[in-house]
Amino acid sequence: MSAVEATPTVRKTALNAVHRQMGAKMVEFNGWDMPVEYPSSGGIIAEHNAVRNSVGIFDVSHMGDIRLVGPQALFAVQHITMNDASRLAVGQAQYSALLYPQGTFVDDVIVHRLGERDYLLVINAGTREKDFNWVRDNTREFDCFVENLSDDYTQIAIQGPSGVDVLQKLTDVHLAAVKFYWVTHGTVCGLPDTLIARTGYTGEDGFEIYVPSDEATSAMVWNKVLEAGKDFGIVACGLGARNTLRLESKLPLYGHEISDTINVWEAGLDRFCKLEKADFIGRGALEEAKAEGVNRTLVGLEMTERGIARDGYKVLDDAGREIGYVTSGSYAPFLKKNIALAYVPPNFSTIGSTVRVEIRGQGVKAQIVQTPFYKRPKKA
């Protein structure tokens, strides 16, 4: 008798019913049933521009959370991540990555220092189980407890220049005192000891709050944020806007700009990699790769002829020879341009030089441009 393969179960966040009640267009994303856009919000372009100009709310509960706590938690974090966590004060966060011994990416993460011996890693949805197993297996020699908290929280992102004003109406924390990439705890929507992080994945100011993952509590908080944001024109946002926002800001996505075949130098993330700290997984390979130099580098493209460079499209030189590939590409709603990120040889990476992207069999012109494509305006 032959074995019957089980159909993978598509997972749902605690806000799934809320999204459906709001009429969201749902898609399967990395094993999760998630909203890609809300017609009631005006769709992806309207959602994107609301975040750039005012405020939007996202369900990001599909993201994972790994806690390391104990006497040697810092040593464990230092061993498995490329940034220097010893620089973090209690209540501070940093962008970092978990690396394979060859210097390529297990995943990129945000490391939060919650206490003297207490760290929280926020990881990507599609790599939850892989990441947890990697962290657990590579920290066994350290005196610390590794806990998977991924299903314990509903994670809600409130992003945009008015995000601070919206959330301030719902919390006893003085949010102006919380710096970018810092975290704190406080009462939110009547829920005590809520984790509040001033981080995000949109290129804007904003917050992510972590509340209990039961459906009733999650829906209560979601609806209260929407109510508090009415005066600011808040809209619910899906994965579509999240992707275009992060692309304009050149924020990497696992499986696109970073992967298990791309190293830190190629991805242009060297400013987050601290070779001077104590040994960490991947350091030796990265030192060798740095000495050898890279064969490809990540660049920004702006289409100068009609067409959108989609993920995976070939990048060509003027003679039509394939030289690289697009990692992410889209119409940029705020910039009103067709943009993309792509890997090309270093000699094709000069700002202002031209390449072509193969779209439906045609080489469509594009220009190498400075990145990030969009930078948040500095406050006066």
Side-chain angles (χ1 to χ4, degrees), residues 15 17-19 21-22 57 156 166 170 189 209 215-230 234 236:
L15 287 165
V18 173
H19 302 317
Q21 288 165 7
M22 294 181 68
I57 179 175
I156 296 174
V166 173
L170 303 170
C189 297
I209 55 175
E215 291 184 12
T217 302
S218 302
M220 180 271 291
V221 174
W222 177 270
N223 290 327
K224 284 196 173 185
V225 173
L226 283 174
E227 182 64 30
K230 276 186 177 179
I234 194 170

Side-chain angles (χ1 to χ4, degrees), residues 198-220:
R198 197 165 195 168
T199 58
Y201 192 57
T202 62
E204 295 298 335
D205 188 15
F207 295 84
E208 292 177 320
I209 55 175
Y210 297 73
V211 301
S213 60
D214 64 280
E215 291 184 12
T217 302
S218 302
M220 180 271 291

Side-chain angles (χ1 to χ4, degrees), residues 86-114:
S86 71
R87 298 180 179 183
L88 294 176
V90 172
Q92 196 173 11
Q94 68 181 192
Y95 180 81
S96 191
L98 310 173
L99 303 177
Y100 289 109
Q102 62 267 34
T104 62
F105 293 87
V106 177
D107 197 10
D108 60 342
V109 301
I110 297 180
V111 179
H112 305 72
R113 188 180 183 191
L114 303 182

Side-chain angles (χ1 to χ4, degrees), residues 52-259:
R52 287 279 179 257
N53 295 310
S54 184
V55 60
I57 179 175
F58 299 79
D59 175 12
V60 290
S61 309
H62 57 316
M63 303 288 284
D65 307 286
I66 303 172
R67 185 185 183 201
L68 294 90
V69 60
Q72 292 189 309
L74 172 60
F75 298 104
V77 172
Q78 290 287 73
H79 177 63
I80 60 173
T81 64
M82 69 179 188
N83 208 333
D84 187 356
S86 71
R87 298 180 179 183
L88 294 176
V90 172
Q92 196 173 11
Q94 68 181 192
Y95 180 81
S96 191
L98 310 173
L99 303 177
Y100 289 109
Q102 62 267 34
T104 62
F105 293 87
V106 177
D107 197 10
D108 60 342
V109 301
I110 297 180
V111 179
H112 305 72
R113 188 180 183 191
L114 303 182
E116 289 295 332
R117 300 174 174 182
D118 191 353
Y119 295 83
L120 180 71
L121 309 185
V122 175
I123 58 177
N124 284 301
T127 52
R128 267 192 181 197
E129 284 70 30
K130 179 190 75 172
D131 288 2
F132 177 72
N133 292 336
W134 176 262
V135 171
R136 181 194 58 199
D137 293 346
N138 286 281
T139 55
R140 295 188 188 280
E141 65 190 271
F142 300 97
D143 183 10
C144 71
F145 180 65
V146 179
E147 186 177 11
N148 190 347
L149 301 179
S150 300
D151 293 328
D152 290 11
Y153 297 109
T154 286
Q155 190 176 340
I156 296 174
I158 305 158
Q159 294 286 304
S162 297
V164 62
D165 301 306
V166 173
L167 186 57
Q168 190 63 76
K169 296 167 71 172
L170 303 170
T171 181
D172 61 352
V173 174
H174 179 49
L175 296 177
V178 182
K179 297 176 183 177
F180 195 54
Y181 264 72
W182 284 72
V183 300
T184 189
H185 287 83
T187 299
V188 177
C189 297
L191 302 171
D193 202 35
T194 298
L195 178 64
I196 305 169
R198 197 165 195 168
T199 58
Y201 192 57
T202 62
E204 295 298 335
D205 188 15
F207 295 84
E208 292 177 320
I209 55 175
Y210 297 73
V211 301
S213 60
D214 64 280
E215 291 184 12
T217 302
S218 302
M220 180 271 291
V221 174
W222 177 270
N223 290 327
K224 284 196 173 185
V225 173
L226 283 174
E227 182 64 30
K230 276 186 177 179
D231 292 342
F232 302 95
I234 194 170
V235 301
C237 302
L239 295 176
R242 185 170 165 84
N243 187 54
T244 54
L245 287 160
R246 70 93 192 166
L247 175 58
E248 281 188 346
S249 303
K250 201 197 176 186
L251 298 173
L253 178 63
Y254 189 85
H256 293 253
E257 289 70 45
I258 58 176
S259 73

Side-chain angles (χ1 to χ4, degrees), residues 314-375:
K314 296 176 182 178
V315 178
L316 316 172
D317 63 13
D318 284 334
R321 293 178 294 238
E322 182 179 349
I323 57 169
Y325 67 97
V326 173
T327 59
S328 299
S330 174
Y331 173 70
F334 187 75
L335 301 175
K336 296 180 173 60
K337 299 174 180 178
N338 292 331
I339 61 172
L341 294 171
Y343 276 107
V344 300
N347 59 309
F348 284 91
S349 66
T350 305
I351 303 299
S353 59
T354 60
V355 293
R356 294 177 183 270
V357 177
E358 187 176 276
I359 303 175
R360 292 185 291 276
Q362 300 296 316
V364 180
K365 283 187 179 180
Q367 186 176 51
I368 308 294
V369 296
Q370 192 73 45
T371 54
F373 306 98
Y374 168 85
K375 282 187 179 179

